[in-house]
Amino acid sequence: DYCGVFAVAAASGAVILTHERNRGKGAALRTGFADIVARLPGYGVVTADCDGQHTHTDIARISARLDTLPPGQRCVVLGCREFTGPVPARSRLGNSVTRVLFRSITRQDVPDTQTGLRAFPAITLPWALGIQGDRFDYEFRMLLLARQSGISLVTVPIETIYTDGNGSSHFRPLVDSLRIYAPLVRFAGSSLLAFGVDTAMLLLLNWLTGWLLIAVVGARAVSAGVNFVVNRRLVFRRGREVPLRSASLRYLSLAALLLAANYGVLTALTDAGTPLLLAKVVTEAALFLASYSIQRTIVFDPLSGSHNSPAQMLVRTASHPV
């Protein structure tokens, strides 16, 4: 449908790269990055969406910011909309949800996690080429992996523009959102399974012994075993690259920390008169995002040897609440 547009671009001197079929935005970006690395080594890249949301002025501003970076700085420059004025409801809601989740998981606040206007210095391109994901999930995964990879995120404010309710966007709210949030959705499912096992064992052991501490420890021992196996094999798939012994020790350290936090919060709530089942739900919800962040960046990350310990991560996560 757009061959005419590309023909005009080619006639104007642009290099046009093509795929035989639509492989998705992430695959297209990697193809472009690979071409620049091979054909123009040492050059940075600016990417911009083609749905009318990025002005020539903003594209030039992002390019200029790339030129002012200190030599050797590994970063991604993000053109961030401020979402002022008339913004389609799905766009405003989608960015708000993603921003909260991203801040909760990474402890970084990025005003616009869905922006396609980005700049990459040459030193960052090999890293970007190694990120998985062929569709819209590629760009969000890039942000998730940045901090643990030593890549800083530099934000630059840009104009907020939506033409005809953003009808030209190819983003599918349900399908593509599920793809973007897939790691968190899988973790939620695994946590729900562990929560069910843990809650059932907690109620059973508390009924049998009448001692909350024994009930909490016994229930967590059973549910933690189930959770470890599911997360290592299905949720954090790179976790299978971490030696079993190393992953087990990291997970046990985290489990001990979360157990202490779980018992402390649970005791405080029940002492205050909260029913045990309700107290259990509140406690698990409070620790959910902290557990996800630590498991993703430490327990099941093959490159986490130089990261902080689970204890340090838990303290830092607790000091940056949602």
Side-chain angles (χ1 to χ4, degrees):
D1 292 342
Y2 299 94
C3 286
V5 176
F6 294 121
V8 172
S12 301
V15 174
I16 307 298
L17 307 175
T18 62
H19 290 158
E20 293 182 359
R21 58 181 177 80
N22 184 355
R23 290 169 49 193
K25 185 179 183 181
L29 287 172
R30 281 199 303 272
T31 294
F33 293 158
D35 177 74
I36 295 299
V37 169
R39 191 166 49 85
L40 297 170
Y43 278 76
V45 172
V46 175
T47 67
D49 291 340
C50 59
D51 53 7
Q53 293 188 32
H54 303 144
T55 66
H56 298 118
T57 300
D58 284 332
I59 294 173
R61 182 180 295 119
I62 296 301
S63 179
R65 184 68 180 88
L66 186 64
D67 294 335
T68 63
L69 294 174
Q73 180 175 350
R74 302 177 71 236
C75 70
V76 178
V77 180
L78 305 172
C80 295
R81 297 161 292 183
E82 297 179 338
F83 293 96
T84 56
V87 178
R90 70 170 186 175
S91 299
R92 187 182 295 276
L93 176 62
N95 186 75
S96 297
V97 171
T98 307
R99 181 178 181 178
V100 170
L101 287 174
F102 182 77
R103 184 176 62 221
S104 302
I105 294 168
T106 67
R107 301 169 309 285
Q108 297 180 96
D109 188 17
V110 174
D112 185 2
T113 58
Q114 298 175 336
T115 179
L117 181 53
R118 305 181 179 193
F120 303 82
I123 195 172
T124 306
L125 291 176
W127 169 78
L129 281 169
I131 298 174
Q132 298 179 343
D134 288 344
R135 300 188 181 277
F136 289 105
D137 55 314
Y138 171 79
E139 289 181 309
F140 188 62
R141 184 171 287 137
M142 177 185 294
L143 300 184
L144 285 175
L145 294 174
R147 185 169 186 170
Q148 69 189 81
S149 303
I151 305 293
S152 59
L153 300 177
V154 179
T155 62
V156 176
I158 62 172
E159 190 175 354
T160 302
I161 299 174
Y162 284 99
T163 305
D164 298 328
N166 201 26
S168 62
S169 174
H170 292 277
F171 185 85
R172 299 163 296 178
L174 180 59
V175 175
D176 290 319
S177 292
L178 285 176
R179 192 184 300 274
I180 288 173
Y181 301 137
L184 194 58
V185 171
R186 290 196 301 267
F187 183 78
S190 172
S191 298
L192 186 61
L193 173 62
F195 171 76
V197 173
D198 199 40
T199 302
M201 293 299 298
L202 174 70
L203 297 175
L204 176 62
L205 292 175
N206 190 60
W207 177 72
L208 290 174
T209 66
W211 192 356
L212 182 60
L213 178 58
I214 291 179
V216 169
V217 173
R220 185 49 56 92
V222 175
S223 64
V226 173
N227 187 245
F228 174 80
V229 173
V230 173
N231 285 355
R232 186 170 186 265
R233 299 191 62 84
L234 299 177
V235 178
F236 305 101
R237 294 171 181 172
R238 294 187 65 195
R240 285 174 285 188
E241 301 174 22
V242 181
L244 180 59
R245 181 175 181 275
S246 178
S248 300
L249 291 175
R250 297 178 193 177
Y251 186 87
L252 286 174
S253 298
L254 173 62
L257 290 168
L258 291 177
L259 176 60
N262 186 288
Y263 179 70
V265 176
L266 199 58
T267 300
L269 290 175
T270 53
D271 287 348
T274 305
L276 179 59
L277 183 57
L278 177 59
K280 178 66 174 174
V281 173
V282 172
T283 300
E284 294 298 335
L287 295 175
F288 172 79
L289 288 175
S291 178
Y292 175 83
S293 177
I294 298 172
Q295 290 191 50
R296 183 182 66 84
T297 58
I298 292 184
V299 177
F300 297 110
D301 180 10
L303 304 178
S304 66
S306 60
H307 292 347
N308 293 323
S309 69
Q312 292 171 312
M313 284 290 291
L314 185 59
V315 169
R316 284 169 51 190
T317 301
S319 65
H320 293 74
V322 180

